[in-house]
Amino acid sequence: MKNVSLDDATKLVETAKNKAEEIEVPMCIAVMDAGANLVAFERMDDALLASIDIAQNKAFTSVTLKLDTQTVHEVSQPGESLYGIGGTNSGRIVTFGGGFPLTDGDTVVGAIGVSGGSVEEDIEVAEAAIDRFAEL
Amino acid sequence: MKNVSLDDATKLVETAKNKAEEIEVPMCIAVMDAGANLVAFERMDDALLASIDIAQNKAFTSVTLKLDTQTVHEVSQPGESLYGIGGTNSGRIVTFGGGFPLTDGDTVVGAIGVSGGSVEEDIEVAEAAIDRFAEL
Amino acid sequence: MKNVSLDDATKLVETAKNKAEEIEVPMCIAVMDAGANLVAFERMDDALLASIDIAQNKAFTSVTLKLDTQTVHEVSQPGESLYGIGGTNSGRIVTFGGGFPLTDGDTVVGAIGVSGGSVEEDIEVAEAAIDRFAEL
Amino acid sequence: MKNVSLDDATKLVETAKNKAEEIEVPMCIAVMDAGANLVAFERMDDALLASIDIAQNKAFTSVTLKLDTQTVHEVSQPGESLYGIGGTNSGRIVTFGGGFPLTDGDTVVGAIGVSGGSVEEDIEVAEAAIDRFAEL
């Protein structure tokens, strides 16, 4: 596998959406491919409008840095090594959790970004999709 | 019905995707709500990357102008009444076909934008979704 | 008078709104001062969302070029002297009617921009405000 | 009530303006609807020009995050959960007080943003409008 397909992406969105419904928090869910281009996106009814951008850019951040965004949160703090990285890439780097790379072994083949709840909730929903991806 | 729901939007995307598969042209399909905020998006495998933006902005154009984008194509030509409208709204107005408002009687409740093929193909795919919306 | 005050601007918006109600077309109405900075804006219920940007940028165009925007429409056509001007100023120059400078004798002291109907309707509504400004 | 009307918005702007005059600080006041689209805006004479953008984006922030902006101030600090959120949404998220959602019971139906004074003054003026909204 070299790249996330639409078929993969819709399964990940579906899985994330099911988890978000289970914890009763409306979310935005975005999947990007290895080229940092959007494959699929869904906004659940009543999800925060700010999350349309944030979910996509969590995915962008994870695929372009090959990092989950809670790691970016740590390394972007004042005094830390990548302080200020949030201002790069025209402001598309998100510095808090909810974005994860999708990997095929060692290779990053895409990313998922989730936004709409607390950071912990976003991570929980994204991780459900990551687990599903391992089974595809 | 006052606004497109995610449930509506995923049905429209599915219908458009089926039509795009039938004519064998990979497409990007976007649905926005009445406030011009993205609800659902899918990019079929091998669809043009430029279409990620164009599909979304065809939907943006149709919901914010309450017009299909082939009408915008006509009125934005040199010498016509809205010449130059494509440069407004930070370049988000698309001046060729493939975007349609979704209406509930007289009220615009959202829009769909399709991009990836010829304008005629984009329109054909979007119209399949419009027909489906009338039945929801 | 050197600059449009908020008191002036709200009178102009009120006058334009009354005219828009009279012709039964919901409009966006914006007034900028001589420094091309927004003073007052109103969006009537059900007015086109694209008009939020267009009304403001018609005012921007008229105060920064000291021209009404139907004149800009003429001079920006292919082959005409200012062809391409719509792409300058980060896309904020609008090339169709509905924007007018506000003048105190020869001096431009601000501008009004109206959007939401046909170009003719936008001009009619803006001109009602221009007439009112002459009496202030 | 599902969305802020222009009639509501102009009452809120009027109330905020009266409070700003009472405390003798010129302000910019913006009201957005539930879709994060501008409904009404006024800039008082001598108000800070930077506040034209800030007032609108405080409203944008409050409606898209369903939070008042002093809460965003807290959670966006270094080390806090949403550190860096101010860089998302193309820089439209404001991370200091003066923006408030407008709610109809539990539903966010719009937002108000006030800018021009100290954060405390901005909050005081916005809260006068919030109190008024409860009576509409």
Side-chain angles (χ1 to χ4, degrees):
Chain A
M1 183 189 297
K2 285 295 188 48
N3 212 339
V4 172
S5 66
L6 176 56
D7 192 50
D8 297 331
T10 53
K11 284 174 184 158
L12 298 181
V13 170
E14 194 67 24
T15 302
K17 189 165 54 172
N18 289 343
K19 173 59 77 175
E21 282 170 354
E22 184 188 313
I23 67 172
E24 299 184 329
V25 183
M27 300 277 189
C28 290
I29 305 149
V31 176
M32 283 194 181
D33 68 12
N37 296 302
L38 188 63
V39 180
F41 172 87
E42 290 195 9
R43 171 163 57 97
M44 295 167 67
D45 298 342
D46 299 320
L48 300 175
L49 295 180
S51 294
I52 299 171
D53 173 281
I54 295 171
Q56 292 182 63
N57 283 328
K58 283 180 179 175
F60 176 85
T61 301
S62 286
V63 77
T64 60
L65 290 174
K66 301 186 182 180
L67 291 172
D68 59 66
T69 58
Q70 67 265 41
T71 298
V72 180
H73 183 71
E74 292 163 18
V75 297
S76 64
Q77 296 296 324
E80 297 302 321
S81 60
L82 296 186
Y83 172 64
I85 197 169
T88 70
N89 284 273
S90 306
R92 299 187 66 192
I93 301 295
V94 180
T95 59
F96 46 92
F100 289 88
L102 299 167
T103 57
D104 175 27
D106 287 343
T107 308
V108 172
V109 296
I112 186 165
V114 172
S115 177
S118 68
V119 168
E120 291 71 24
E121 291 165 338
D122 294 350
I123 290 173
E124 181 181 3
V125 167
E127 284 181 334
I130 294 292
D131 290 347
R132 176 91 164 94
F133 188 66
E135 297 160 12
L136 292 182
Chain B
M1 182 189 298
K2 283 297 188 48
N3 214 338
V4 172
S5 67
L6 175 56
D7 192 49
D8 297 331
T10 53
K11 284 174 186 158
L12 297 180
V13 170
E14 193 68 23
T15 302
K17 189 165 52 172
N18 289 344
K19 173 58 80 176
E21 284 169 353
E22 183 187 315
I23 66 171
E24 299 184 327
V25 183
M27 300 277 190
C28 290
I29 305 148
V31 177
M32 284 194 179
D33 70 12
N37 294 302
L38 188 64
V39 180
F41 172 88
E42 290 194 9
R43 171 164 57 97
M44 295 167 67
D45 299 341
D46 301 319
L48 301 174
L49 296 179
S51 294
I52 299 171
D53 172 282
I54 295 170
Q56 292 182 62
N57 284 329
K58 283 180 180 176
F60 177 86
T61 301
S62 285
V63 77
T64 61
L65 288 174
K66 302 186 186 181
L67 291 173
D68 58 69
T69 58
Q70 67 264 40
T71 299
V72 180
H73 182 71
E74 292 163 18
V75 296
S76 62
Q77 296 297 319
E80 297 302 320
S81 62
L82 297 186
Y83 172 62
I85 197 170
T88 70
N89 283 272
S90 306
R92 298 188 68 191
I93 301 296
V94 181
T95 58
F96 46 92
F100 288 87
L102 300 166
T103 56
D104 175 27
D106 287 342
T107 308
V108 171
V109 297
I112 187 166
V114 172
S115 176
S118 68
V119 167
E120 290 70 24
E121 290 165 338
D122 294 351
I123 290 173
E124 181 181 3
V125 168
E127 285 182 334
I130 294 293
D131 290 347
R132 176 89 165 94
F133 188 67
E135 297 161 11
L136 293 182
Chain C
M1 182 190 297
K2 284 300 188 48
N3 214 338
V4 171
S5 66
L6 176 56
D7 191 51
D8 297 332
T10 52
K11 284 174 185 158
L12 298 181
V13 170
E14 193 68 24
T15 302
K17 188 165 52 173
N18 289 344
K19 173 59 77 175
E21 284 170 352
E22 184 188 315
I23 66 171
E24 298 185 329
V25 183
M27 299 276 189
C28 290
I29 305 149
V31 176
M32 283 194 179
D33 68 12
N37 295 301
L38 188 63
V39 180
F41 172 87
E42 290 194 9
R43 172 164 58 97
M44 294 167 67
D45 298 343
D46 299 320
L48 300 175
L49 295 180
S51 294
I52 299 171
D53 172 282
I54 296 171
Q56 293 182 63
N57 283 327
K58 283 179 179 175
F60 176 86
T61 300
S62 285
V63 75
T64 61
L65 289 174
K66 302 187 182 181
L67 291 172
D68 57 68
T69 58
Q70 67 264 40
T71 298
V72 179
H73 183 69
E74 292 164 18
V75 296
S76 64
Q77 295 297 322
E80 298 300 321
S81 61
L82 297 186
Y83 172 63
I85 197 169
T88 70
N89 284 272
S90 305
R92 300 188 65 193
I93 301 295
V94 180
T95 58
F96 45 93
F100 288 87
L102 299 167
T103 56
D104 175 27
D106 287 342
T107 307
V108 172
V109 297
I112 186 165
V114 172
S115 177
S118 67
V119 168
E120 291 70 26
E121 289 165 338
D122 293 350
I123 290 173
E124 181 181 2
V125 167
E127 284 181 335
I130 294 292
D131 290 348
R132 176 92 164 91
F133 188 66
E135 297 161 12
L136 292 182
Chain D
M1 184 188 299
K2 283 296 187 48
N3 213 337
V4 172
S5 67
L6 175 56
D7 191 50
D8 297 330
T10 53
K11 284 174 185 157
L12 297 180
V13 169
E14 194 68 23
T15 302
K17 189 165 54 172
N18 288 344
K19 174 57 80 175
E21 283 170 351
E22 184 188 315
I23 66 172
E24 299 184 328
V25 183
M27 299 278 190
C28 289
I29 305 147
V31 177
M32 282 194 180
D33 68 13
N37 294 303
L38 187 63
V39 180
F41 172 88
E42 290 195 9
R43 173 164 57 96
M44 296 167 67
D45 298 341
D46 300 319
L48 300 174
L49 295 180
S51 293
I52 299 171
D53 172 282
I54 295 170
Q56 292 182 62
N57 283 329
K58 283 179 179 175
F60 177 85
T61 300
S62 285
V63 78
T64 61
L65 289 173
K66 301 185 185 182
L67 291 172
D68 58 68
T69 58
Q70 67 265 39
T71 298
V72 180
H73 183 69
E74 292 164 18
V75 297
S76 63
Q77 295 298 320
E80 296 301 321
S81 62
L82 297 185
Y83 171 62
I85 198 171
T88 69
N89 283 272
S90 305
R92 299 187 68 190
I93 301 295
V94 180
T95 58
F96 47 90
F100 288 87
L102 299 167
T103 57
D104 174 27
D106 287 341
T107 307
V108 171
V109 297
I112 186 166
V114 172
S115 176
S118 66
V119 168
E120 291 71 24
E121 290 166 337
D122 293 351
I123 290 172
E124 181 181 4
V125 167
E127 285 183 333
I130 294 292
D131 290 347
R132 176 90 166 93
F133 188 66
E135 298 161 12
L136 292 182

